[in-house]
Amino acid sequence: MKPRWWRVLSAPARNFLAQLRLSFVSALQYRTDYLLTVFSVAVSAGVEIALWQLVLKKTGQVRGYGLADLIVYLIVANVISMMCVNWESVLDMSEEIRQGSVSRHLLKPISLFSVATGDWLARKIPVMLGALPVFAGLHHWIPLQFHPHFNHVLMFFALLATSLWLSAEIYFLIIMTAFWLSENQGVAIGFNVLRWGFAGTAFPLAFYPGLLVKFLDATPMPYFVYYPTLALLGRLPTEEFFLKFLYAVFIGCALSFNRWATWQAAERRLQTVGG
Amino acid sequence: MRDGRRGRTLLRYLDYLRICFRMSVFRALEYRSGVFFQYVVDIVWYVVQFALLRTAFSYVAEVAGYNLAECYLFLAFLFSTDAVSMLFFNGGLEHFTRSVRTGGLDFYILKPMPTLYQMTVARVSLAGLLNLGFTVFFWGYVLRRFQVHYSFAHWLWAILLFTNGIFVNITFRLTISCLSLWTIEGGSLNWLFHELMRFGSKPEAIYGKWARRILISVVPALLLSAWPCMALIRKPSYWALGVPFLVSAVAGLALAGIWRLGLRRYEGLSFQA
């Protein structure tokens, strides 16, 4: 018999694992989505490579990126971008809030955000695992300029964790706008489009004019895709990594607090409106 | 006599479009914030497309034979295609696969008007109208800033190809959506369509010969904006000008065939959520 304190403390983890199991079963039903995700990465990276190879043919390199570097960058960046929470993950929750069926989650011994996180992990983990052999195969087929050191991998995982955290918090905040707005899909899709253009998925952010890069650096945008990619490719010096990591954690804490405060207000509003 | 009947049919179609537009406006006014956000999303999409293409031109004066002025013209075509698509048929086609799944298609089949036409214009978008306004403004800016002068024949070909591109867009999207008559779950099909159309977000000259051939026939993404722009700024052969019309004819026939075959399979689930 486990002590009572242990059962109380481990309850959220057990509930979350149960939710994750359920989400996995549901995600595995939609295998087409996995194929489409891989296809979407190939199209997204392919179109940009087609354009930039013509530029690089003339200039040789842009901001330290040759064609081979850019190919590796785009593949890694697109895989990371795919793993972040995106608007598809939030549409169901927004719909539940609008229709009032969100109340059923409030009865469960697990938070709404844990359910959403479980769903998202269940969708993304198979994608990530599937992307690894594709990437390895590509590396074998076209020898890519990709030789990460152990510390690059460590820095990458640290920044990847912050990237996933930030993306989840931002989308949770967007979801909660459904308590106030009759239609919030536009907010989620709009943010997704912005992230695609200004998070470093289409090309390294260093390609943009200096002023825009400085501006973006003050926002969470580069932390979604750009910095984790730079870390894995060994383009982020260790000192800079620590600064970026701390800043990302700071933004993450601020967003988490915001999310918590907004949820408190939203929950009260849900009680008023009913289901 | 025959012409008179055709004229009446055309009027009936236009009248149906007018009614759909009126109903969509009423619906949109109920959810004004939705219209506003839809408009903002499209503007954000335009800004991102602009930023991505413009950045490439900050390093070189010419990409794939396109200079900066021609790049802006391409963007004007791209925005126009998007605005027309958003205005007239994007909303309706987004719901096509859902109608198949829920049985909502039954009601469209019963009405005395071609089902695919009804499905296409069922949800005209008010936000699309605002986008069209933005696109007109962008065209004005491009033409004024770069003082581009092309012959009347070039403009005529460009407009014809643009119109054809819209037809191809609708046809191709409907063809993909019709596959939901077999697969039932069609959310992924909408996604597939959007991914394929991404190839059309850049000028046609950036692709190799074979990729270009595929992208104007099998996946006709380049016919929407890139081809009309190419017809305006280059001197393409008559073959290059004619191929899109051939493709749209074949795509139309293929759609008719797939629709008839799919309809035989359709059972009508009558509003099961």
Side-chain angles (χ1 to χ4, degrees), chain A residues 1-200:
Chain A
M1 184 76 180
K2 284 173 183 143
R4 187 179 156 72
W5 64 266
W6 169 255
R7 274 183 285 145
V8 170
L9 285 179
S10 63
R14 274 185 286 119
N15 290 338
F16 180 70
L17 283 176
Q19 171 63 38
L20 192 62
R21 258 201 312 273
L22 271 176
S23 302
F24 259 121
V25 172
S26 151
L28 287 174
Q29 282 178 332
Y30 299 104
R31 290 176 293 273
T32 327
D33 282 3
Y34 167 69
L35 291 176
L36 275 172
T37 311
V38 174
F39 179 70
S40 129
V41 169
V43 172
S44 180
V47 170
E48 294 305 327
I49 288 168
L51 175 72
W52 282 96
Q53 70 160 337
L54 295 171
V55 176
L56 290 166
K57 212 179 262 178
K58 287 186 180 172
T59 59
Q61 56 90 24
V62 172
R63 309 260 186 225
Y65 287 85
L67 183 60
D69 307 312
L70 190 66
I71 291 175
V72 177
Y73 175 90
L74 286 176
I75 293 171
V76 174
N78 276 279
V79 171
I80 295 173
S81 169
M82 199 170 59
M83 283 163 61
C84 289
V85 179
N86 61 19
W87 65 276
E88 289 154 17
S89 322
V90 307
L91 290 189
D92 292 346
M93 274 179 77
S94 296
E95 197 61 31
E96 284 188 1
I97 291 171
R98 241 194 325 276
Q99 292 180 353
S101 53
V102 69
S103 320
R104 70 195 163 101
H105 291 297
L106 303 178
L107 296 172
K108 292 180 186 173
I110 184 167
S111 88
L112 181 65
F113 303 105
S114 302
V115 173
T117 310
D119 275 350
W120 160 63
L121 280 177
R123 279 187 205 179
K124 298 298 175 177
I125 288 174
V127 169
M128 190 177 76
L129 293 177
L132 289 176
V134 173
F135 191 68
L138 206 63
H139 191 28
H140 179 75
W141 185 42
I142 333 169
L144 301 167
Q145 301 295 315
F146 181 65
H147 311 285
H149 292 167
F150 181 66
N151 55 343
H152 295 154
V153 177
L154 282 183
M155 290 197 292
F156 165 70
F157 277 112
L159 284 175
L160 181 68
T162 58
S163 153
L164 304 184
W165 178 28
L166 291 178
S167 70
E169 292 296 358
I170 285 187
Y171 280 102
F172 284 151
L173 276 170
I174 291 175
I175 287 169
M176 278 188 286
T177 58
F179 283 103
W180 286 270
L181 299 171
S182 55
E183 173 64 59
N184 78 331
Q185 287 192 9
V187 184
I189 298 173
F191 183 75
N192 218 51
V193 175
L194 267 182
R195 209 193 63 185
W196 174 57
F198 299 112

Side-chain angles (χ1 to χ4, degrees), chain A residues 33 36-37 39-40 43-44 47-48 52 54 58 62-63 181-183 186 190 193-194 196-197 202-203 207-208, chain B residues 31 33-34 37 41 44-45 48-49 52 55-56 59-60 62-64 188 191-192 195-196 198-199 202 206-207:
Chain A
D33 282 3
L36 275 172
T37 311
F39 179 70
S40 129
V43 172
S44 180
V47 170
E48 294 305 327
W52 282 96
L54 295 171
K58 287 186 180 172
V62 172
R63 309 260 186 225
L181 299 171
S182 55
E183 173 64 59
V193 175
L194 267 182
W196 174 57
F203 49 71
F207 286 15
Y208 280 128
Chain B
Y31 301 103
S33 60
F37 283 120
V41 167
V44 167
W45 188 79
V48 168
Q49 292 296 338
L52 294 183
T55 305
Y59 294 97
V60 283
E62 236 184 50
V63 179
S188 307
W191 183 10
L192 176 67
E195 289 304 328
L196 289 173
R198 265 203 212 191
F199 286 111
K202 299 281 188 287
I206 70 161
Y207 299 107

Side-chain angles (χ1 to χ4, degrees), chain B residues 90-140:
Chain B
N90 190 57
L93 294 180
E94 285 282 336
H95 280 80
F96 185 103
T97 51
R98 189 160 183 253
S99 301
V100 171
R101 198 181 67 234
T102 58
L105 191 62
D106 299 358
F107 294 100
Y108 292 101
I109 292 173
L110 291 173
K111 286 184 193 169
M113 174 77 70
T115 312
L116 292 181
Y117 176 72
Q118 289 180 66
M119 297 295 296
T120 306
V121 298
R123 284 164 186 258
V124 181
S125 157
L126 194 60
L129 202 62
L130 299 173
N131 288 339
L132 204 61
F134 175 83
T135 306
V136 170
F137 170 77
F138 189 75
W139 267 106

